[in-house]
Amino acid sequence: MEKKLIKQLALPLSFRNVKSHSNFILNNVNEVALSLIDEFSDIKKFKKKFNFPVLILYGPPGSGKTHLAHIYQEITNAKFINKFNNINLNEAKSGKSFIFDDFDKIESLNENLFLHFFNEILLNFGSLLIITSKPPNEINFNLSDLESRIRSCISTKIELPDDEFLFSILVKELSDKKIFLNDKQCLYIIKRIKRNYKSISSFAETLDVMSLEQKKKITLKQIKEVLNIIKVIN
């Protein structure tokens, strides 16, 4: 099984530079979402193609939605929000773009105000990225008009990374820190770590600190220690 996985890891992966962030790794888990986000470089064209300049990204925590949101921010100069008020409505009127984070976790959304906001996004030259852990059809609204609008927007699901993708992310994170483990060590790690980007990043950072402090060749014992540490902090 391990030899088969190592052989499969020869697959081509694309790396994308993201302003103020680590390189973005493109594969079949996120390529549809990234291609849609890239289309926001021409909002008029996006509206003509999809009717609404709105994209909904949904998926489990740690699947990379926030990283994709930063790419969208790079393209549109969007503003992150996790609450909503009249200031945002006025900004929408001036053509501002937004990233609405944790949309499904908002406890008291003013639906009437948000519907006005949504309409201003449509009328002007702004855009909206909605990030949620739930698919749009599982988010309940009191206003049928708002529910209809949200469900009419294009949406795409982001899955948690598979073994091959986790391996690639781990190798990339470690190589950025000049840490080079063999295939067996990397496979040992991805079989025991939480399947998300945050855990991989935490592992690489913690191992980097440990290796700098001890100034010794990295051993399986150290790897086990780091895995135990990040189980507590993640």
Side-chain angles (χ1 to χ4, degrees), residues 121-180:
I121 291 286
L122 302 185
L123 290 170
N124 295 289
F125 296 102
S127 61
L128 175 64
L129 177 67
I130 294 176
I131 301 175
T132 167
S133 60
K134 297 179 181 178
N137 62 358
E138 292 182 11
I139 303 174
N140 298 317
F141 300 95
N142 294 317
L143 284 181
S144 57
D145 285 349
L146 178 59
E147 183 174 61
S148 176
R149 293 269 182 162
I150 293 295
R151 294 187 181 183
S152 296
C153 296
I154 188 167
S155 63
T156 185
K157 184 178 182 181
I158 310 297
E159 301 281 0
L160 287 172
D162 56 19
D163 281 356
E164 288 87 350
F165 198 21
L166 272 181
F167 189 105
S168 302
I169 297 166
L170 176 62
V171 170
K172 175 65 177 63
E173 288 281 342
L174 293 173
S175 65
D176 284 347
K177 295 173 172 54
K178 309 300 181 187
I179 297 174
F180 304 99

Side-chain angles (χ1 to χ4, degrees), residues 126-234:
S127 61
L128 175 64
L129 177 67
I130 294 176
I131 301 175
T132 167
S133 60
K134 297 179 181 178
N137 62 358
E138 292 182 11
I139 303 174
N140 298 317
F141 300 95
N142 294 317
L143 284 181
S144 57
D145 285 349
L146 178 59
E147 183 174 61
S148 176
R149 293 269 182 162
I150 293 295
R151 294 187 181 183
S152 296
C153 296
I154 188 167
S155 63
T156 185
K157 184 178 182 181
I158 310 297
E159 301 281 0
L160 287 172
D162 56 19
D163 281 356
E164 288 87 350
F165 198 21
L166 272 181
F167 189 105
S168 302
I169 297 166
L170 176 62
V171 170
K172 175 65 177 63
E173 288 281 342
L174 293 173
S175 65
D176 284 347
K177 295 173 172 54
K178 309 300 181 187
I179 297 174
F180 304 99
L181 303 181
N182 61 46
D183 289 339
K184 286 187 177 181
Q185 288 173 317
C186 290
L187 286 169
Y188 181 90
I189 294 161
I190 65 171
K191 293 296 184 183
R192 291 161 178 82
I193 201 167
K194 287 184 180 179
R195 311 191 65 78
N196 59 53
Y197 298 90
K198 182 180 178 182
S199 294
I200 294 291
S201 179
S202 295
F203 178 90
E205 289 175 6
T206 306
L207 185 63
D208 186 38
V209 171
M210 183 179 289
S211 64
L212 289 172
E213 288 176 349
Q214 298 183 5
K215 296 180 180 179
K216 295 179 180 179
K217 184 179 179 180
I218 295 170
T219 63
L220 182 59
K221 181 180 178 181
Q222 288 174 308
I223 290 172
K224 289 179 178 179
E225 288 177 11
V226 174
L227 286 170
N228 287 329
I229 291 170
I230 65 168
K231 278 181 183 177
V232 175
I233 63 177
N234 287 336

Side-chain angles (χ1 to χ4, degrees), residues 2 4 19 27 34 46 52 55 74 90-91 104 112 117 140 170 191 224:
E2 289 187 359
K4 181 180 178 182
K19 189 186 298 181
N27 84 336
L34 184 60
F46 192 100
F52 303 123
L55 173 64
E74 180 189 15
N90 291 330
E91 289 174 326
D104 55 314
N112 283 299
F117 167 80
N140 298 317
L170 176 62
K191 293 296 184 183
K224 289 179 178 179

